[in-house]
Amino acid sequence: MNLSELYADHVATLQGHTAALLERLGYAGMVIYSGTATGIFLDDHALPFYANPHFKHWLPLPRHQHGFLLIRPGKRPQLFYHSPVDFWHLSDGAPGGFWTDPFDIAEFADPVEVQSALGDTPGLAFVGEDAALAQRWGFTAINPEPLLHELNWLRGYKSGYELACLREASQLAVAGHRAAEQCFRDGGSEFDIHLAYLAASGQRENELPYGNIIAIDQHAAVLHYQHLDRRHPASPDAFLIDAGAEVRGYCADITRTYAARPGLFAELVAAMDEVQRRLVASASVGASFVELHQRTHQAVALLLQLFEIVDLAPESLVETGITRSFYPHGLGHLLGIQVHDVGGQVADPQGTPLPPPDEHPFLRLTRPLEAGMVLTVEPGLYFIDTLLAGLRHHPQAKAVNWERVEQLRPCGGIRIEDNLALHPDHTENLTRDAFANS
Ligand code: GLY
Ligand code: MN
Ligand code: MN
């Protein structure tokens, strides 16, 4: 199927699920509002705009402001498409391209036109950020939680169209990753690497699904390091890059870690790569992600012992919580329209919470793995000063080989992150496929 066929299929499936859902919840329809850019306090500029994710689920218009989509059971979806009269900005242009067929499209300049076209709103649910607008227009069901839970649940299962977008996003991100590694090896600063990434992946900064994490040496010990050092490192040891791409609103979220030269850190990176590949091989339909996360702690414990970082049996390293000082985050999360996609910690479409175990509060995915899901697998091992300081007061602090820790601390840490699409009979590694094809 080509893209427009895949997309028509995607919209038809969404329409079917949503119609059933609206009827069950007693709504005549649902209006999804894309939103509008937030202004900066006391300024006449606005922050970059990112559309309501539920709008993006239906439409490949991730930057379209003031769009209204009306969904009603048994009727074609109706899009109110904003075509303002504006000589300050370039408007989005007339609606066109592969995506328009499934919709009845009405262009408007002033939202008042949409308000009168919608008419009586009490039977309609409103899904969007602007609750004040919804109230003014007479909506009484504004972002109703039962509806949002159901919509979030649906987003956990990707259509063929969504997978096509995610594959493209991976390919773009990998082009950026290749250029970034080269720039690092050529002596580039974090800032240089960031620019090389943007150029090679064909994205401007606002188009990234999240701020690039471009971390040389100890900066890699900051999990979401947000700066870009302009200085050129004299003799760097290591480079961690966590950077993605967005295609038609769908995200890639990829991390790679590189050692500058052969040696202990390079061996640790290679060992972690092995661990990551084994975890990926186990991340298939029916698996428990909570169990996989716990298994990651056992694997990290083995590495800590093998690399003589802590002299304790792996079981004790996990039991005493020492592994959490080196690997403090979760193994991964659902991925799609949002990088940390919704619906990872619920047991059912009604939104019954499925929280992670107490000792793993940062695990974002607790649902059993099912066909159609797309998720990340991203184990890590870091030398984080604040956590190491805490470890010094641990009853087993003497078992830590602090000299070895000091030797590795300048390298910051390791994370290796792939994006997986789960099929009934196999797991597709979007990331490694993209690297293999680049
Ligand atoms: N890039 C953020 C994450 O990996 O979850
Ligand atoms: Mn991630
Ligand atoms: Mn990431």
Side-chain angles (χ1 to χ4, degrees), residues 18 68-69 111 133 145 189 254 346 350 352 374 380 392 423 438:
T18 310
F68 294 85
L69 180 64
L133 174 141
E145 276 207 1
S189 67
I254 299 174
V346 288
Q350 289 72 46
T352 307
V374 173
R392 286 189 185 273
H423 298 279
S438 72

Side-chain angles (χ1 to χ4, degrees), residues 3 49 94 101 269:
L3 191 66
F49 175 70
D101 273 358
V269 172

Side-chain angles (χ1 to χ4, degrees), residues 35-57:
T36 185
T38 304
I40 297 171
F41 184 53
L42 298 181
D43 203 335
D44 62 355
H45 288 275
L47 296 169
F49 175 70
Y50 301 92
N52 173 357
H54 293 291
F55 187 82
K56 293 200 292 181
H57 200 194

Side-chain angles (χ1 to χ4, degrees), residues 242 253 333 339-340 376 378 417:
D242 183 343
D253 176 13
H333 49 85
V339 172
H340 295 158
T376 69
E378 47 181 305
E417 175 176 30

Side-chain angles (χ1 to χ4, degrees), residues 112-183:
V112 169
E113 298 167 52
V114 181
Q115 187 181 8
S116 59
L118 289 176
D120 272 351
T121 53
L124 301 176
F126 179 90
V127 176
E129 191 180 7
D130 197 340
L133 174 141
Q135 273 165 359
R136 278 200 309 281
W137 288 16
F139 284 92
T140 51
I142 301 169
N143 298 317
E145 276 207 1
L147 177 60
L148 290 189
H149 281 311
E150 296 267 3
L151 295 177
N152 291 346
W153 183 266
L154 279 180
R155 278 174 45 191
Y157 307 95
K158 270 45 178 197
S159 66
Y161 164 75
E162 291 177 294
L163 291 179
C165 296
L166 289 158
R167 284 185 198 111
E168 271 186 59
S170 300
Q171 209 65 59
L172 280 188
V174 161
H177 274 261
R178 292 266 191 226
E181 182 192 357
Q182 192 57 52
C183 186

